[in-house]
Amino acid sequence: MSSPDWLPFDHVLLTEVAMGHEDVVLKYTVCAPLHLAGPAAPWLGVAVEHLRQTMS
């Protein structure tokens, strides 16, 4: 299901997860990095990195 309100991200192309104190940056090979901030961002970074490692 595609919607003009959602940005498409091909998470297979995720190359790096950079975590800060209250932010995380997801870096992709084909698009600009995605910066997420807030108290839950570091937890999300750990979860995404774990999934990335187990899926590769």
Side-chain angles (χ1 to χ4, degrees), residues 1-19:
M1 181 171 169
S2 181
S3 169
D5 298 335
W6 293 93
L7 293 174
F9 285 96
D10 190 352
H11 296 294
V12 173
L13 302 175
L14 181 65
T15 60
E16 184 180 343
V17 178
M19 290 176 274

Side-chain angles (χ1 to χ4, degrees), residues 11-19 24-29 33-34 45 48-49 52-53:
H11 296 294
V12 173
L13 302 175
L14 181 65
T15 60
E16 184 180 343
V17 178
M19 290 176 274
V24 63
V25 177
L26 304 178
K27 297 181 181 180
Y28 296 87
T29 58
L34 176 63
V48 168
E49 181 61 24
R52 187 171 81 94
Q53 294 297 322

